[in-house]
Amino acid sequence: AGFMIKNGIAALGLSFVIFALFFANVAVGAARQPVFLGDVAEMLTLGVAVVFFVIGVLQREVHAKR
């Protein structure tokens, strides 16, 4: 488990899962169905996904330089 955390795989995976939640909310809204996230929750979900993506990319860069 330590290797996955240091390698950035866990952060990138978590970013994908959170972004998939965001995408599902947008897709449901585009289909004219009631969304399950409000505007602020949607913004925070996307922000958290981006933060985990950046963490994962930076961890992978550090791991690649070793």
Side-chain angles (χ1 to χ4, degrees), residues 10-65:
L12 288 173
L14 189 56
S15 172
F16 175 76
V17 169
I18 295 170
F19 184 78
L21 176 69
F22 167 80
F23 182 81
N25 187 62
V26 171
V28 166
R32 305 270 188 223
Q33 301 296 320
V35 294
F36 48 90
L37 292 175
D39 292 341
V40 174
E42 188 177 88
M43 177 196 64
L44 292 174
T45 303
L46 183 59
V48 170
V50 168
V51 167
F52 277 109
F53 180 78
V54 169
I55 289 170
V57 168
L58 290 176
Q59 286 177 335
R60 294 201 41 103
E61 281 187 19
V62 168
H63 184 73
K65 289 182 180 179

